[in-house]
Amino acid sequence: MIIAILNNKGGVGKTTTAVHLAYALTKKGKKVLCVDIDEQANLLLHIFPANDVYALESRQNGTSLPIMTHSSGVDVLPLSYWKNTKHFADTIRLHAKGYDYTLLDCPPSLEARTLAALEAATTVLIPTQPENLSYKGLIKLINLCEEYTLPVLGIFVTLYDKKKAAHNFYLPEIAQQFAGHYISAAIPNSALFPSASAMNKMGHEWAGKKANPGLIAYDDIADYIIKKSIQLSAKKGKV
Ligand SMILES: Nc1ncnc2c1ncn2[C@@H]1O[C@H](COP(=O)(O)OP(=O)(O)OP(=O)(O)O)[C@@H](O)[C@H]1O
Ligand SMILES: [Mg+2]
């Protein structure tokens, strides 16, 4: 399963989702590859030391850089500094063969990098904030998936703040309008995520043994993905 984590709206938690789902799936015994497609190299900068990431830029040549392995067991294919977007889809597909799940961290626009991710993907996962403009953008994203004949794996809410009236209005609105795609595990707004990122860690490493609702929600989404992929492969087997 090659999952494009897609939303052209910026800052909705795409990178945070890629990192924490990768960890949750790895802990459940799955082999996971993350692909940093974004020129901002945010996924790389989240979990690897900044100097190691910046050094990649000077090592970038005509081919993709080798896979980097994080101490958690998650592998990362760094495409951030590679300009040759024409070869992204083939490169992703080739590497994905060795993994149960490949998570594509898309940039915040529908540029060539994102479109290459959609070309390589077998399904799309959409994180969204429960707010007006994010909500209004969802239909366009679903239409884009249809254009690429990609099934939507799920839509889920990120950065949910139960004290915000708008969040309490839009969360049920999203759940109702997109009932066929909606994943009920909403990721709460939690200081854990920016803090872990600042410390160059995944939230699980930062939280240690302390239970955190955000990490539990990512764990639930990982379970949802595993269940859904079993259903999809059973369907394929029947065809
Ligand atoms: N559930 C959350 N609670 C609190 N902060 C969060 C949460 N998820 C993400 N963040 C923080 O919000 C910021 C944006 O998150 P992130 O980089 O994952 O979004 P993005 O969609 O990948 O952004 P971009 O569109 O720039 O790629 C980061 O500082 C991140 O630490
Ligand atoms: Mg990002």
Side-chain angles (χ1 to χ4, degrees):
M1 202 175 226
I2 306 179
I3 305 170
I5 300 174
L6 175 76
N7 199 326
N8 53 336
K9 200 124 201 65
V12 298
K14 295 178 288 294
T15 303
T16 305
T17 294
V19 165
H20 293 90
L21 270 186
Y23 185 93
L25 288 165
T26 301
K27 288 298 150 214
K28 291 173 192 296
K30 304 297 175 190
K31 204 161 184 285
V32 182
L33 175 69
C34 281
V35 186
D36 193 340
I37 293 174
D38 191 351
E39 264 178 318
Q40 300 179 97
N42 280 178
L43 189 143
L44 292 162
L45 288 167
H46 191 316
I47 59 172
F48 294 110
N51 286 340
D52 293 357
V53 178
Y54 298 143
L56 293 176
E57 194 159 13
S58 57
R59 283 173 44 210
Q60 182 69 65
N61 52 29
T63 58
S64 62
L65 289 167
I67 281 172
M68 298 160 79
T69 299
H70 186 258
S71 53
S72 62
V74 172
D75 281 349
V76 182
L77 175 64
L79 297 186
S80 303
Y81 299 120
W82 199 24
K83 306 266 184 243
N84 206 342
T85 52
K86 266 197 230 155
H87 293 296
F88 274 29
D90 284 344
T91 305
I92 292 166
R93 280 193 213 106
L94 191 74
H95 285 290
K97 283 183 183 151
Y99 295 87
D100 298 312
Y101 298 96
T102 297
L103 307 177
L104 312 179
D105 182 25
C106 293
S109 75
L110 301 180
E111 58 176 287
R113 288 170 173 270
T114 305
L115 301 182
L118 292 180
E119 208 184 314
T122 58
T123 187
V124 176
L125 185 64
I126 303 176
T128 180
Q129 272 185 277
E131 290 181 8
N132 179 36
L133 302 179
S134 299
Y135 168 68
K136 299 252 160 64
L138 289 173
I139 287 283
K140 258 197 159 179
L141 289 174
I142 288 182
N143 290 342
L144 182 66
C145 294
E146 274 173 18
E147 238 178 78
Y148 278 76
T149 54
L150 281 170
V152 177
L153 181 62
I155 296 175
F156 65 98
V157 160
T158 54
L159 289 141
Y160 172 60
D161 183 344
K162 65 178 180 202
K163 289 195 209 105
K164 287 189 178 164
H167 285 201
N168 289 317
F169 175 79
Y170 283 106
L171 186 139
E173 200 68 14
I174 293 167
Q176 194 189 354
Q177 187 170 345
F178 302 98
H181 302 304
Y182 185 69
I183 305 174
S184 58
I187 312 296
N189 191 320
S190 165
L192 173 84
F193 294 106
S195 302
S197 171
M199 292 299 139
N200 234 209
K201 290 188 187 308
M202 295 185 174
H204 305 75
E205 297 172 292
W206 185 238
K209 287 206 169 83
K210 258 198 215 155
N212 175 279
L215 299 179
I216 293 169
Y218 275 121
D219 210 50
D220 290 345
I221 296 176
D223 286 336
Y224 171 94
I225 289 173
I226 292 170
K227 205 168 138 197
K228 198 86 181 187
S229 60
I230 292 169
Q231 284 169 359
L232 286 175
S233 52
K235 240 192 203 172
K236 254 192 188 169
K238 275 190 196 154
V239 174

